[in-house]
Amino acid sequence: MPRSIQSTQPPLKFIPQRFNPLVLQILRWFLPLILRFRTRPWLPAGIVHIEAKNTEVLAELYQQFQAGKIRFLIAFRHPEVEDPLCMLYLLSRIVPKVARQQGIPLQDRVHSYFLYDRGMTVWAGNWLGWLFSQVGGVPVRRGRRLDRQAIQTARELFANGKLPIAVAPEGGTNGHSGIVSPLEPGVAQMGFWCVEDLQKANRSETVVIIPIGIQYRYIQPPWSKLNWLLSKLEADSGLPVQSINQSNIDSSPEIYHQRLCRLAEHLITEMEEFYRRFYHQDIPKTISTVESTSPNELLIARLHRLLDKALQVAEEYFGVQPQGNFIDRCRRLEEAGWNYIYREDLADINTLPPFKRGLADWIAEEADLRMRHMRLAESFVAVTANYIEEQPTSERFAETILLIFDMLSRIKDTTLPGRPSLGWKQAQITVGEPISVTERWLSSQADRQAARQGVANLTKDLQVALEKLIVD
C-alpha cells in the first residue's frame, strides 16, 4: 500500500491488453511458489493445497469453445486477493489434468482474459499493470459510470477473442468465504452484448456463463494465533488484554466470540464519538430496537449506522449523492477521489505555474484523506450479525478479526502493512453449472424495460448459483 498521497498525479491511463504466451508460461512455472510465499517468504501464510470439484464441466466448456461451438464467461467468487492466483492454478494445472483423465480433447492452452480493477496498480505499482497486460488482463475503473475503453475491449474479447474471459461479478473482495456480496450487473450485461454481437455477425455460437466458487480453510485451525492477534488488537485499541490460557486455547470458541464482540463494541463507540465530535455527525448515543433484537444485531445496526456516517463525510466533501448500497457508494467515492488526484483536466502537471500546482497538490492530498473514510467503510460491507454464530469456525473468526486489523492499521499507520500470518491455507474451488445467456436473450429484446429486466434476472440467478457453491 502506498504512503498517503501529497501531490497531484498524472491521469490513470488505460493499459492495453497485450497477451504474451511466454510471460504466461513463466508465471505458470513459478505459480506454486507464488501461492505459497506471496506475502512474506519466511512466514507460513500462503496456500499450499488447491482442490477443485466438477472440473470436468469446465474442461468440456473449453473443448466446445475451441471447437467454435460456444463463447463463455467465467464468473468467479472474489473473497480474497489470492483468488486470481487460484483461478490461474485451476486453469493451468487442474483443468488440463482432468481433461486428460476424462478423455476430453483440448487443442490449445487453457487460459482466459480477465478484468481487473485499475486501482490495483495504484497500490501495487506499475509493474503489476505490465504483468496483467502480458497475461490477458483488461483494467476497468470500477466507479466510472461508463468506462468506455474497458467495456469496448472486454466486449470485443468476449465475442471474438481466442480465449474465454473471466470476471469477478462482486467487483471486489469482501473478506468472507461464506458470503457472496451483491453482484454488479456488468457480467449479465456482457453476456447479452455477446449474444447480440454474435447475432449481428450471423454466428451460431451459444453464450454461457459458468459460476465458480472459491473458499479458503486453514490446514490447522489457528486458535493460538487468533488469541495472539486479538490480544494485539485489544492492546492497540486501549482495552485490557484478555488473553486465553494456553491450555484452553482451542477449547471454547465462545470465549473468542465474547472477546471479539467486546473489541467491536469498543471500536464502534470510539468511532461514533470521533465522527460526532470532529465531523459534526448526528449520531444518537442509543439506537431504537425491538424487543427481539439480540446484542449481535444491535452491534451490527450500530456498525451500519457508523458506515453510513463515514460515507456521508466523504460524500459531502466530493458532492456525491448517497445512492445505492454501501458497495455502490464506495465505488462512486473512489472515482470521485481519483478525479481529484489523477487529473485528466490538466494537460501536463509539470508545466503548471507553482501557484496552480500548489492548489492541485492541496486538493489531491485532501482527497486522499477524505477517501480514507470510504476505505474504512469498504472493509466492513459484508459483516453480518450471525456470520460467526452460524458456524463458529476458526476461518470465520480469522476473517472478521483480520478485517478489524486492517481497519486499525489504516488509522494508526501511514501505510497498510501486510496481514499477520495465521498459518498455511488450502483453497476449495467448486465449478457450477453453466447458465445459458442465449436462451434468455430473445425474451429480453421486446423493449428497454425487458432488456433491463433480463439483466436483472440473470444477475439474480447468478447470485443464487454462486451462493449454492458455498460449501459448509
Side-chain angles (χ1 to χ4, degrees):
M1 193 76 176
R3 293 188 177 274
S4 57
I5 295 173
Q6 298 178 335
S7 62
T8 191
Q9 304 293 316
L12 288 174
K13 295 181 179 180
F14 182 78
I15 304 173
Q17 182 274 138
R18 295 187 174 94
F19 180 66
N20 186 328
L22 177 59
V23 175
L24 174 62
Q25 186 57 53
I26 294 173
L27 182 60
R28 285 176 166 181
W29 285 336
F30 287 98
L31 183 57
L33 290 176
I34 296 172
L35 282 164
R36 182 180 285 256
F37 303 116
R38 188 189 64 83
T39 52
R40 297 183 181 95
W42 59 90
L43 290 178
I47 297 170
V48 293
H49 184 62
I50 297 177
E51 292 183 351
K53 295 181 179 180
N54 303 328
T55 315
E56 64 276 3
V57 173
L58 191 55
E60 289 172 355
L61 288 179
Y62 268 95
Q63 191 276 326
Q64 295 176 54
F65 180 92
Q66 293 172 2
K69 297 179 180 179
I70 66 169
R71 309 292 300 182
F72 75 91
L73 180 149
I74 298 171
F76 65 95
R77 280 253 25 233
H78 200 10
E80 303 288 352
V81 294
E82 292 88 357
D83 305 331
L85 293 173
C86 291
M87 287 299 301
L88 179 58
Y89 190 92
L90 171 69
L91 299 183
S92 64
R93 304 291 180 102
I94 300 178
V95 170
K97 180 180 178 180
V98 170
R100 290 191 297 270
Q101 292 172 343
Q102 299 290 327
I104 301 172
L106 297 179
Q107 303 168 357
D108 201 355
R109 70 175 62 87
V110 176
H111 188 56
S112 72
Y113 304 111
F114 58 95
L115 300 188
Y116 68 94
D117 174 22
R118 181 63 174 85
M120 293 180 67
T121 64
V122 172
W123 58 262
N126 292 333
W127 68 270
L128 189 65
W130 175 88
L131 177 63
F132 280 174
S133 73
Q134 297 291 300
V135 295
V138 177
V140 61
R141 296 273 289 265
R142 296 185 304 178
R144 279 198 169 174
R145 189 169 184 179
L146 192 61
D147 191 342
R148 293 184 181 277
Q149 198 162 5
I151 290 173
Q152 290 172 355
T153 302
R155 184 170 178 172
E156 170 66 21
L157 291 174
F158 194 0
N160 302 306
K162 295 181 179 180
L163 300 167
I165 190 166
V167 183
E170 291 165 280
T173 61
N174 69 4
H176 289 66
S177 282
I179 295 178
V180 181
S181 293
L183 304 189
E184 298 181 358
V187 166
Q189 184 62 72
M190 285 179 63
F192 284 121
W193 280 338
C194 187
V195 177
E196 180 182 328
D197 292 342
L198 296 179
Q199 291 285 334
K200 289 179 179 178
N202 294 316
R203 290 163 54 185
S204 60
E205 296 105 308
T206 299
V207 177
V208 300
I209 295 173
I210 180 72
I212 294 183
I214 304 177
Q215 292 175 265
Y216 299 94
R217 290 184 173 85
Y218 289 95
I219 301 297
Q220 296 293 332
W223 293 113
S224 178
K225 292 290 185 66
L226 290 176
N227 177 49
W228 164 80
L229 184 54
L230 271 172
S231 298
K232 173 178 171 54
L233 297 177
E234 287 167 343
D236 287 349
S237 64
L239 281 173
V241 175
Q242 293 186 339
S243 184
I244 301 172
N245 186 284
Q246 192 67 31
S247 61
N248 299 321
I249 206 77
D250 59 353
S251 60
S252 180
E254 180 59 31
I255 298 177
Y256 290 89
H257 190 254
Q258 291 172 358
R259 291 177 69 189
L260 179 58
C261 289
R262 170 175 170 263
L263 175 63
E265 198 279 334
H266 173 75
L267 291 173
I268 289 173
T269 299
E270 289 288 323
M271 293 303 295
E272 286 174 339
E273 180 59 25
F274 172 73
Y275 281 105
R276 191 183 291 120
R277 179 180 177 186
F278 296 106
Y279 290 93
H280 317 295
Q281 295 298 305
D282 181 17
I283 305 178
K285 295 194 175 182
T286 60
I287 192 167
S288 58
T289 63
V290 296
E291 196 170 312
S292 60
T293 302
S294 69
N296 273 5
E297 291 170 335
L298 178 60
L299 201 61
I300 293 300
R302 290 178 62 193
L303 173 64
H304 287 173
R305 183 180 65 180
L306 180 62
L307 300 186
D308 177 61
K309 295 299 182 181
L311 291 175
Q312 283 184 33
V313 167
E315 288 164 343
E316 289 169 6
Y317 174 76
F318 289 114
V320 174
Q321 292 299 313
Q323 298 176 350
N325 58 32
F326 286 145
I327 297 175
D328 296 332
R329 293 167 69 182
C330 287
R331 297 286 186 270
R332 283 197 296 275
L333 282 170
E334 181 178 63
E335 183 62 23
W338 282 3
N339 287 338
Y340 279 30
I341 297 170
Y342 303 95
R343 298 287 295 275
E344 295 183 358
D345 59 318
L346 301 177
D348 185 355
I349 60 175
N350 295 317
T351 61
L352 290 175
F355 172 66
K356 288 189 175 181
R357 178 62 186 263
L359 291 177
D361 291 345
W362 187 353
I363 288 298
E365 184 174 11
E366 188 165 4
D368 182 60
L369 286 171
R370 294 287 178 162
M371 287 176 70
R372 293 187 188 184
H373 300 282
M374 179 273 291
R375 294 299 180 200
L376 292 179
E378 187 180 42
S379 298
F380 295 97
V381 294
V383 175
T384 64
N386 57 359
Y387 185 62
I388 289 178
E389 287 186 333
E390 288 176 347
Q391 295 183 37
T393 62
S394 61
E395 284 79 17
R396 294 198 173 195
F397 274 107
E399 290 171 354
T400 306
I401 294 170
L402 285 171
L403 291 178
I404 296 177
F405 172 85
D406 291 345
M407 174 254 194
L408 286 176
S409 297
R410 290 184 188 278
I411 292 174
K412 67 192 183 85
D413 297 322
T414 57
T415 60
L416 185 59
R419 285 179 162 186
S421 166
L422 298 181
W424 300 114
K425 293 194 293 186
Q426 59 184 353
Q428 173 67 62
I429 302 175
T430 307
V431 180
E433 293 300 318
I435 301 173
S436 174
V437 183
T438 303
E439 293 178 0
R440 300 163 180 259
W441 183 77
L442 281 177
S443 61
S444 70
Q445 297 306 297
D447 51 39
R448 288 187 177 181
Q449 179 60 33
R452 286 194 293 268
Q453 190 60 50
V455 170
N457 290 341
L458 179 53
T459 301
K460 180 180 178 181
D461 290 346
L462 180 58
Q463 175 100 31
V464 172
L466 287 171
E467 289 172 349
K468 287 181 178 179
L469 296 179
I470 294 175
V471 180
D472 295 335

